[in-house]
Amino acid sequence: MLVKVGNTNVDVRVEAVLSVPRLGFMDNFFTWAQALTPLGIRPTKVTGAFWGQCLQRVMEQFVDEAEYLVTIDYDTFFSQADLEHLMALAMTFQCDAVTGLQTKREDGRPMLTLKGMMENPPAEGSTQVPRDWFDAPVQEVDTMHFGCTVISTAALKRTPKPWFLGTPNEQGEWGDGRRDDDIFFWENFRKAGNRCFVSPRVILGHGEYMVTWPGEQLQQPVYQHATDYVTHMKPPEGVWKVER
């Protein structure tokens, strides 16, 4: 990736890495092509059943060859400008890892853990931040996502392996209380002396699979999350119906 400051050009080696299933979303793939190609960044994927194992393997391929890795989730939407912004923030603020603001599917809450909250979670299970929290170019956090995330390979080399490891709860179950691969990564990453940041100035889309129903007046569609239909096996209120 060519970085220009004034009259000086520097070639920063950046590789995009993905852990993906065998099938994916074509809309995402083609937006990535438009975002990555002009920057001279090639995407490399590893496919398998275990997300964390695949992502570690593909990261290991380039950790000694590049200055930065860009991890991409196969359901994240971002533009060339978004990635350029993240790269500029990573270099300007010396971020060991930085990403944009992305929300959980079918939820709306940001995919991050505020700084200090992993060790001291709020008793009520939720917290708030002041409005000016969103005014800063970057904010340090405890955990975040991998949707479109810039990671310094120098920081990655400081992080002991395994980089990803899922563990069950105290009952040996994979419900509440488990530790997922991504959360393990960020905890391990920070324990190695690295810092991770989210930029409120960069927003990233999160793809969701929706069911579209005919509206009751056949003029406006009614949308339903696919998970809701699979769970309840019935359409939402406001859809077209004929009394029997």
Side-chain angles (χ1 to χ4, degrees):
M1 177 179 179
L2 190 64
V3 177
K4 183 176 183 180
V5 180
N7 295 320
T8 302
N9 296 325
V10 178
D11 187 14
V12 179
R13 295 172 297 175
V14 183
E15 296 282 349
V17 294
L18 306 89
S19 171
V20 296
R22 293 173 63 188
L23 302 177
F25 303 113
M26 299 306 293
D27 288 337
N28 295 76
F29 298 163
F30 276 84
T31 57
W32 301 338
Q34 295 178 63
L36 297 174
T37 302
L39 301 177
I41 301 175
R42 65 177 175 181
T44 302
K45 60 94 173 173
V46 170
T47 297
F50 304 102
W51 174 84
Q53 293 180 23
C54 292
L55 190 54
Q56 176 166 327
R57 290 203 299 270
V58 72
M59 292 166 84
E60 288 170 339
Q61 289 183 40
F62 301 109
V63 69
D64 294 319
E65 298 180 12
E67 279 78 54
Y68 290 97
L69 301 182
V70 179
T71 64
I72 299 173
D73 280 344
Y74 82 122
D75 57 0
T76 294
F77 287 87
F78 63 92
S79 68
Q80 177 183 339
D82 294 328
L83 185 50
E84 289 176 334
H85 198 158
L86 289 174
M87 289 298 307
L89 292 170
M91 291 182 280
T92 301
F93 293 96
Q94 292 295 290
C95 302
D96 296 311
V98 63
T99 189
L101 198 62
Q102 186 178 44
T103 57
K104 298 175 66 176
R105 290 190 306 271
E106 305 184 19
D107 187 303
R109 289 175 295 176
M111 298 171 64
L112 59 86
T113 304
L114 294 171
K115 191 175 186 300
M117 291 295 176
M118 284 302 294
E119 288 75 17
N120 298 290
E124 62 276 14
S126 63
T127 189
Q128 294 182 340
V129 295
R131 179 63 182 82
D132 59 7
W133 188 92
F134 296 93
D135 295 335
V138 293
Q139 287 283 6
E140 188 175 358
V141 295
D142 281 352
T143 72
M144 50 196 196
H145 58 83
F146 290 85
C148 178
T149 303
V150 177
I151 302 177
S152 161
T153 54
L156 201 54
K157 291 177 183 178
R158 290 192 291 266
T159 306
K161 296 178 182 179
W163 291 333
F164 299 92
L165 181 66
T167 54
N169 60 22
E170 293 181 354
Q171 291 73 43
E173 299 169 347
W174 294 100
D176 292 342
R178 72 187 185 278
R179 183 74 78 207
D180 289 334
D181 291 35
D182 54 348
I183 300 301
F184 175 88
F185 176 91
W186 295 119
E187 289 185 315
N188 199 30
F189 189 77
R190 290 189 299 106
K191 287 177 182 177
N194 302 312
R195 298 188 301 162
C196 43
F197 298 83
V198 165
S199 173
R201 299 184 181 184
V202 179
I203 58 170
L204 305 172
H206 208 169
E208 295 188 27
Y209 186 30
M210 304 291 289
V211 182
T212 304
W213 298 94
E216 57 186 352
Q217 300 300 323
L218 297 180
Q219 293 179 344
Q220 297 294 329
V222 176
Y223 299 103
Q224 179 185 29
H225 291 294
T227 302
D228 182 67
Y229 184 79
V230 171
T231 301
H232 301 102
M233 292 299 292
K234 61 180 182 180
E237 295 295 325
V239 303
W240 168 266
K241 61 182 178 181
V242 177
E243 298 296 337
R244 299 178 181 177

